[in-house]
């Protein structure tokens, strides 16, 4: 989009912005945009970046215990990718006039959120597979439409991220498949992990449409393309046959194909639990934020050293 | 094959230690860098251990006394300066060693030729941080000096001959000393004083004599694999 309203009033700027959205053009960093659009994107991209960074913890919890060298290499590469995704996303957020330091500060002080899913613990090796299959699967379902998001830098970051995420998702599926076809104990481990991660994964799509605060506006701005419930339904429909081919069951007695709707019906989500996790009372909220803060605080002297060295030697600050 | 185990265990154990940083690094770029180095080393370990036998059997089913890595790589991460000092000492050694092996026509030449490119990057990363910590703030300088001192006594072992590696070990040591000295000088630091080898430390890791932190590290690394004998993952 190019700004053709340079000499006009605010109304004309808005008209150019609206026309760009209507024509499905991308909004770029130097284009005029409504303050609320900017704020909403900062909130969403930051939360997305924070989720990548906090999301490293539950998986990193198993790097030291991975049961084969091949699996260990795959897991390390995945956690490394997540740090890289965090970096892309902080850069995308910075095009909107904020800074990574400021965003991290908001994460550490609890003023910005990250995905509720990462407040659940990884209790067995199979959880690494369940996170890949279900959590990354849900993330992809959410994120593929973001590749067409109206804000250019975010959309382009999502194209790169979705490629790597689909790879992670297939690896998670393959990990679970190996367990499911392994010994009785391994199969039980896989089933237990799926039982614990299924409902939290469905919660990743956010509150139901009639209770979603930001949805309508985000859809009008073409930041979002589908409603929470639509994406959740799409995810369930994808997972059911995959669970069957894995030889694992999904922990929902109400789950069944509805011929009339052409979709799977599924049982009620425990929105009280979701609310508690969002309010900071999930199983790992305190632990996740403390570890992040500790890493940041204990690393302060390293960042100060790098800045002091750069100042002495005339480098741009890293 | 002694050399495959020695070099493979070095890479395996250091990779494991670096993997412990995931989620704890001082800055996001270092999450990427440390994991990247850990992955390179794990890749080297897998090739080397596969030359000696089954990689998983060797990694997960040997006890402490059967590991042939140098004691330097098993040292706990400590603070970021300790990790960087360990990396500087080791990657400088590994680069020189792999350059030598790549020039020869021994069984490790092809692996060394590929790995030396990765290792040159590891060494550069360690050097760049040694400069920043040494010549950064008063605190970072002190921390870097303490780390270099603390790990110094584990460096002599790097130059104990490894059976199967056709290398001039004393020349390797000379080259290592001059490279490390040059970096430390630029970083406003100096080579530590005190013994760089001792009756106990020198060559002990290569003979399966390790330091106390190594046992708990292996216990964590091996416990899941050992809990499911014969399982495939």
């Amino acid at each position: 989009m190019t700004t053709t309203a340079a000499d006009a009033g605010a109304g004309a700027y808005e008209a150019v912005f609206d026309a760009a959205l209507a024509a499905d053009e991308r909004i770029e960093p130097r284009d005029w945009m409504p303050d609320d659009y900017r704020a909403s994107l900062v909130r969403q991209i930051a939360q997305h970046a924070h989720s990548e960074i906090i999301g490293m913890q539950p998986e990193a919890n198993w790097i030291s215990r991975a049961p084969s060298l091949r699996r260990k290499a795959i897991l390390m590469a995945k956690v490394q990718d997540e740090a890289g995704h965090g970096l892309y996303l902080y850069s995308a957020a910075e095009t909107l006039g904020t800074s990574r330091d400021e965003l991290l500060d908001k994460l550490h002080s609890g003023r910005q959120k990250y995905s509720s899913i990462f407040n659940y613990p990884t209790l067995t090796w199979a959880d690494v597979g369940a996170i890949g299959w279900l959590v990354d699967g849900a993330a992809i379902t959410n994120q593929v439409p973001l590749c067409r998001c109206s804000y250019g830098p975010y959309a382009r970051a999502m194209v790169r991220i979705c490629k790597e995420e689909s790879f992670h998702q297939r690896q998670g599926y393959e990990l679970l498949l190996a367990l499911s076809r392994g010994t009785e104990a391994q199969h039980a481990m896989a089933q237990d992990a799926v039982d614990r991660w299924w409902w939290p994964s469905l919660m990743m799509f956010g509150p139901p449409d009639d209770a979603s605060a930001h949805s309508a506006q985000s859809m009008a701005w073409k930041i979002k393309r589908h409603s929470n419930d639509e994406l959740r339904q799409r995810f369930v429909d994808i997972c059911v046959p995959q669970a069957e081919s894995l030889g694992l069951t999904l922990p929902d007695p109400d789950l069944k194909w509805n011929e009339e709707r052409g979709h799977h019906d599924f049982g009620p989500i425990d929105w009280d639990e979701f609310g508690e996790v969002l309010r900071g009372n999930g199983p790992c909220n305190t632990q996740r934020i403390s570890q992040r803060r500790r890493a940041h605080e204990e690393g302060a002297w390293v960042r100060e050293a790098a800045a002091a060295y750069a100042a002495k030697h005339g480098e741009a600050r890293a | 094959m002694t050399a495959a185990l020695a070099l493979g265990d070095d890479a395996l154990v250091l990779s494991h230690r670096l993997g412990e940083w995931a989620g704890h690094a001082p800055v996001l770029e270092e999450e990427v860098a440390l994991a990247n180095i850990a992955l390179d080393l794990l890749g080297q370990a897998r090739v080397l251990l596969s030359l000696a036998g089954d990689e998983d059997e060797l990694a997960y089913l040997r006890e402490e006394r059967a590991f042939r890595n140098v004691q330097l790589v098993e040292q706990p991460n400590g603070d970021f300066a300790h990790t960087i000092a360990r990396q500087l000492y080791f990657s400088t050694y590994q680069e020189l060693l792999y350059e030598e092996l790549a020039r020869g026509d021994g069984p490790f030449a092809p692996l060394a030729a590929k790995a030396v490119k990765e290792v040159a990057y590891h060494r550069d990363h360690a050097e760049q941080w040694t400069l920043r910590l040494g010549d950064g703030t008063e605190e970072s300088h002190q921390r870097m000096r303490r780390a270099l001192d603390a790990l110094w006594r584990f460096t002599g072992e790097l130059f104990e001959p490894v059976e199967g590696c056709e290398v001039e070990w004393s020349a390797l040591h000379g080259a290592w000393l001059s490279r490390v000295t040059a970096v430390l000088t630029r970083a406003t630091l100096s080579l530590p004083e005190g013994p760089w080898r001792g009756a106990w430390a020198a060559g002990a890791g290569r003979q399966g004599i390790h330091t106390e932190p190594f046992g708990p590290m292996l216990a964590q690394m091996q416990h899941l694999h050992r809990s499911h004998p014969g399982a495939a993952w």
Side-chain angles (χ1 to χ4, degrees), chain A residues 53 56 60 62-73 76-77 79-80 83-84 87 90 100 125 178-179 183 185-186 189 291 295 299 301-306 308-309 312-313 315, chain B residues 12 15-16 19-20 22-26 28-29 31-32 35-36 38-39 42 46 55-56 59-60 80-81 129 131-133 135-137 139-140 143 220-221 223-225 228 231-233:
Chain A
I53 301 310
M56 295 168 69
W62 280 92
I63 288 178
S64 294
R65 292 175 287 167
S68 75
L69 297 186
R70 175 172 164 265
R71 292 291 179 195
K72 186 174 184 158
M76 271 185 185
V79 173
Q80 183 191 14
L87 286 169
Y90 285 122
R100 199 210 297 186
W125 170 250
L179 293 180
T183 65
Q186 286 176 308
M189 192 191 278
Q291 180 179 324
W301 70 271
V302 177
R303 296 190 300 276
E304 285 158 17
Y309 180 88
K312 280 185 218 180
H313 296 270
E315 293 178 358
Chain B
L12 177 71
S15 164
H16 185 94
E20 292 172 352
H24 299 272
L28 291 175
E29 285 79 357
E31 294 284 1
V32 178
N36 199 330
L39 263 175
L42 185 53
R46 294 182 65 191
E55 61 177 35
D56 284 338
Y60 291 100
F80 190 68
W129 272 113
L131 295 177
R132 277 156 186 75
L133 299 183
D135 194 15
T137 63
E139 183 187 4
S140 69
R143 283 182 185 253
Q220 187 175 37
M221 186 175 106
H223 109 271
L224 178 59
H225 186 97
H228 296 264
W233 300 94

Side-chain angles (χ1 to χ4, degrees), chain B residues 131 176-189 191:
Chain B
L131 295 177
W176 181 86
L177 266 181
S178 71
R179 280 201 193 180
V180 170
T181 306
V183 177
L184 296 186
T185 306
R186 284 178 63 206
T188 72
L189 294 155
L191 220 53

Side-chain angles (χ1 to χ4, degrees), chain B residues 92-93 95-97 99-100 103 158-161 166-180 196-197:
Chain B
T92 305
Y93 154 80
E95 186 182 13
L96 289 164
L97 176 63
E99 279 169 356
E100 278 296 304
R103 272 195 286 272
L158 299 171
F159 306 99
E160 288 295 313
E166 301 292 321
V167 174
E168 280 294 333
W169 293 94
S170 65
L172 196 70
H173 186 221
W176 181 86
L177 266 181
S178 71
R179 280 201 193 180
V180 170
W196 55 278
R197 63 194 302 165

